[in-house]
């Protein structure tokens, strides 16, 4: 168990290093628009060492010393110092001279000895590109000599022409194995067997990741000018998490980070051997329903045709992804869409059956932050189409069955139907009778027709904002315009999140987000918004992207 426990710290530190280094690059790019930032035009070279059965691989495809934006805060320098502090290694003197343009981390195997009796001990592999093999060999010798001086017992072996060095680590140290392979890479692992397997993968090409047809297909389109890339073998990731997925449509995923003059685009492709159909026809421009979502919205979702959403491949992806991450898709949905979940519970409705089933045209959903930073106000805009009138009548009937009254109102000469509830309020009276009562009307929701759209809102204040925004809708917002401009057309619509307006709400709904923010503090401090969309026409892959817009872009 020491092998797994001790090396995890080494790998986690390396992963955080990649994250911070990449973030540094984003800021540097925006601040200086460097001409000498080299982005990869091919895949990670270290993929030849990684088994095609590996659950995950992530690579930084540029030299970290080209990414210096955080030097003003000394974040990058602190990271380099702390990462090698215990080993007595000086980054600038011992590593910088030979480090090349790639750093790759991979989970090489789920269990090093493949013996279920002694528990699962994942094998980890770290590959560093070298531009000076002799200097990198000197570094490996120096690293292990320092570990020997600290009390570790070294073991040296020749394996297929490669010198492997490892140690039987002391309890307080990280167990480590290392080697310089050929003229291109320095490898580290948490067991010599991981290194031997890596060498075997090179000499038997059908074993390594580059021989995987899905990896070849994914990298063919996603590795042009990228800063970093990750590849996930989804069924094995699920197995690693100890999960048996009830539904598994997608087999693998590739994620690439691409620099953009106005932010960062994280593009992804999910691959499947099955024929897939998009949930709706692609859109060549933003839907008109967005004109009724105020610019103050913290979250806006738009697209067309919700009627087949539950059975679409996008929904299947959502269920597979959330089950892989959380063990259950229901938990994350209830957290992220709590306002909608509250509406379902309070009204006793089923969103897919009672609402989504008759939304066949454009739609837009907006959440507006509450001044008290509690439950947000909501907006739902639906394009008039066949079935909408009956759908609205059905909602009116559901409201009535729940004891609500349907009352006509007028706001700024606009006729509105309000679902209201009568409640009693009590107060102490000075007279002997004691208590007096008053009747209050509480609005539970409203709807009205504007142009070719039916608009629903959670309360009077929100409906009034919709009617009075005029040219102050989210579609006129400069930040929103910049964000959707980075997303390719045609697409399936957008999920737009204004981070500054929604941060407090999201932190309450998803507590683990606070930990993520701590790890990526420089990034989240400068994050302005993020926009998600899916696009592409390949019937055996689902493509999409997340665009991150930063404050200084």
């Amino acid at each position: 168990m020491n092998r797994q426990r001790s090396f995890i710290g080494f790998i986690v530190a390396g992963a955080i290093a990649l994250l911070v280094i990449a973030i540094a690059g984003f800021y540097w790019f925006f601040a200086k628009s460097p001409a000498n930032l080299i982005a990869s035009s091919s895949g990670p070279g270290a993929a030849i060492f990684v088994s095609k059965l590996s659950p995950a691989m992530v690579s930084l495809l540029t030299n970290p010393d080209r990414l210096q934006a955080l030097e003003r805060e000394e974040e990058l320098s602190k990271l380099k110092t702390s990462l090698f502090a215990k080993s007595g290694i000086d980054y600038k003197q011992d590593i910088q001279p030979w480090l090349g343009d790639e750093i790759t981390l991979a989970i090489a195997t789920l269990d090093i000895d493949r013996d279920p009796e002694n528990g699962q001990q994942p094998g980890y592999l770290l590959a560093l590109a070298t531009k000076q093999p002799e200097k990198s060999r000197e570094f490996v010798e120096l690293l292990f000599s320092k570990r020997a001086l600290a009390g570790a017992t070294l073991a040296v072996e020749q394996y297929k022409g490669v010198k492997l060095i490892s140690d039987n680590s002391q309890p307080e140290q990280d167990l480590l194995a290392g080697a310089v392979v050929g003229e291109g890479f320095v490898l580290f692992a948490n067991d010599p067997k991981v290194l031997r397997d890596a060498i075997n993968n090179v000499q038997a090409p059908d074993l390594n990741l580059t021989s995987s047809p899905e990896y070849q297909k994914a990298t063919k389109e996603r590795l042009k000018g990228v800063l970093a890339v990750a590849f996930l073998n989804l069924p094995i990731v699920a197995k690693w998490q100890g999960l048996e997925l009830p539904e598994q449509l997608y087999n693998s995923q590739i994620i690439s980070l691409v620099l953009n003059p106005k932010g960062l685009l994280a593009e992804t492709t999910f691959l499947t051997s099955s024929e897939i159909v998009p949930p709706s026809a692609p859109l060549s421009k933003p839907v008109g329903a967005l004109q009724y979502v105020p610019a103050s919205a913290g979250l806006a979702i738009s697209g067309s045709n919700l009627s087949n959403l539950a059975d679409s491949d996008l929904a299947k992806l959502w269920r597979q992804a959330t089950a892989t991450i959380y063990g259950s898709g229901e938990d994350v949905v209830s957290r992220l869409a709590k306002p909608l979940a509250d509406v379902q519970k309070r009204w006793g409705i089923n969103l897919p059956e009672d609402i989504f089933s008759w939304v066949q045209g454009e739609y837009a959903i907006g959440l507006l932050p509450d001044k008290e930073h509690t439950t947000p106000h909501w907006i739902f805009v639906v394009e008039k189409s066949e079935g909408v009138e009956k759908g609205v009548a059905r909602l009116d009937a559901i409201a009535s069955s729940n004891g609500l009254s349907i009352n006509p109102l007028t706001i700024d000469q606009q006729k509105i139907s309000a679902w209201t509830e009568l409640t009693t309020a009590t107060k102490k009276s000075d007279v002997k009778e004691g208590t007096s009562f008053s009747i209050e009307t509480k609005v539970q929701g409203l709807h009205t027709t504007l142009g070719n759209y039916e608009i629903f809102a959670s309360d009077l204040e929100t409906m009034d904002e919709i009617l009075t925004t005029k040219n102050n809708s989210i579609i006129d917002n400069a930040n929103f315009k910049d964000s959707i401009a980075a997303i390719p057309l045609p697409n399936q619509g957008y999920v737009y999140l204004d981070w500054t307006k929604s941060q407090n709400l999201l932190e309450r709904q998803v507590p683990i987000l606070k930990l993520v923010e701590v790890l990526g503090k420089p990034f989240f401090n400068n994050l302005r918004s993020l926009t998600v969309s899916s696009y592409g026409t390949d019937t055996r892959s689902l493509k999409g992207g997340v665009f991150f817009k930063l404050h200084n872009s």
Side-chain angles (χ1 to χ4, degrees), residues 374-540:
T374 55
T375 303
H377 309 287
W378 55 262
I379 299 166
F380 184 39
V381 184
V382 184
E383 183 183 20
K384 289 282 191 178
S385 62
E386 184 180 354
V388 169
E389 188 174 339
K390 288 183 179 179
V392 174
R394 183 175 180 178
L395 289 180
D396 285 339
I398 292 174
S400 295
S401 68
N402 280 282
L404 300 180
S405 301
I406 303 172
N407 297 311
L409 297 174
T410 300
I411 300 178
D412 196 23
Q413 299 183 340
Q414 176 69 31
K415 293 182 179 180
I416 296 168
S417 294
W419 298 309
T420 61
E421 178 184 16
L422 295 179
T423 61
T424 59
T426 62
K427 63 179 180 178
K428 292 293 182 180
S429 175
D430 293 333
V431 297
K432 288 184 178 181
E433 285 75 11
T435 304
S436 63
F437 296 88
S438 62
I439 303 297
E440 294 182 354
T441 301
K442 186 175 182 180
V443 175
Q444 298 287 359
L446 312 95
H447 66 90
T448 189
T449 300
L450 281 175
N452 196 37
Y453 296 90
E454 189 72 18
I455 301 174
F456 302 82
S458 57
D459 50 77
L460 283 167
E461 292 80 4
T462 302
M463 182 62 80
D464 180 63
E465 186 171 356
I466 295 170
L467 298 175
T468 57
T469 52
K470 304 295 182 182
N471 296 323
N472 193 29
S473 70
I474 196 168
I475 207 166
D476 299 310
N477 180 276
N479 185 53
F480 179 78
K481 286 181 176 180
D482 286 343
S483 297
I484 64 173
I487 303 293
L489 287 169
N491 57 51
Q492 298 294 326
Y494 308 100
V495 177
Y496 171 80
L497 176 70
D498 188 307
W499 176 250
T500 56
K501 296 174 182 175
S502 305
Q503 181 178 1
N504 291 333
L505 174 65
L506 290 172
E507 287 174 345
R508 284 195 303 276
Q509 304 296 347
V510 190
I512 196 174
L513 184 60
K514 289 186 178 181
L515 175 60
V516 176
E517 289 178 53
V518 171
L519 296 178
K521 185 178 179 180
F523 177 76
F524 282 97
N525 283 349
N526 285 273
L527 179 62
R528 185 169 185 175
S529 65
L530 61 88
T531 306
V532 185
S533 184
S534 63
Y535 41 85
T537 56
D538 192 330
T539 58
R540 295 191 182 273

Side-chain angles (χ1 to χ4, degrees), residues 91-99 131-132 135:
Y91 173 83
K92 188 172 183 179
Q93 178 179 325
D94 301 322
I95 298 177
Q96 188 181 59
W98 58 263
L99 185 61
K131 55 189 179 184
Q132 296 189 38
K135 283 192 175 295

Side-chain angles (χ1 to χ4, degrees), residues 247 249-250 270-282 304-305 308-317 319 492 534-543:
E247 187 174 24
L249 175 65
Y250 297 94
F270 292 90
L271 298 166
T272 176
S273 55
S274 305
E275 195 84 6
I276 61 173
V277 179
S280 60
S304 67
N305 191 10
N308 68 338
L309 182 62
D311 297 321
S312 70
D313 297 306
L314 194 61
K316 292 177 182 177
L317 169 62
R319 290 193 290 269
Q492 298 294 326
S534 63
Y535 41 85
T537 56
D538 192 330
T539 58
R540 295 191 182 273
S541 66
L542 181 65
K543 300 178 183 179

Side-chain angles (χ1 to χ4, degrees), residues 356-375:
F356 295 170
S357 61
W358 47 265
V359 179
Q360 298 180 0
E362 297 178 359
Y363 69 87
I365 301 170
L367 295 183
L368 281 65
D370 185 85
K371 293 180 180 178
E372 304 297 327
H373 300 293
T374 55
T375 303

Side-chain angles (χ1 to χ4, degrees), residues 130-142:
T130 175
K131 55 189 179 184
Q132 296 189 38
E134 285 306 315
K135 283 192 175 295
S136 56
R137 287 189 178 89
E138 292 174 6
F139 165 74
V140 173
E141 298 282 350
L142 173 66

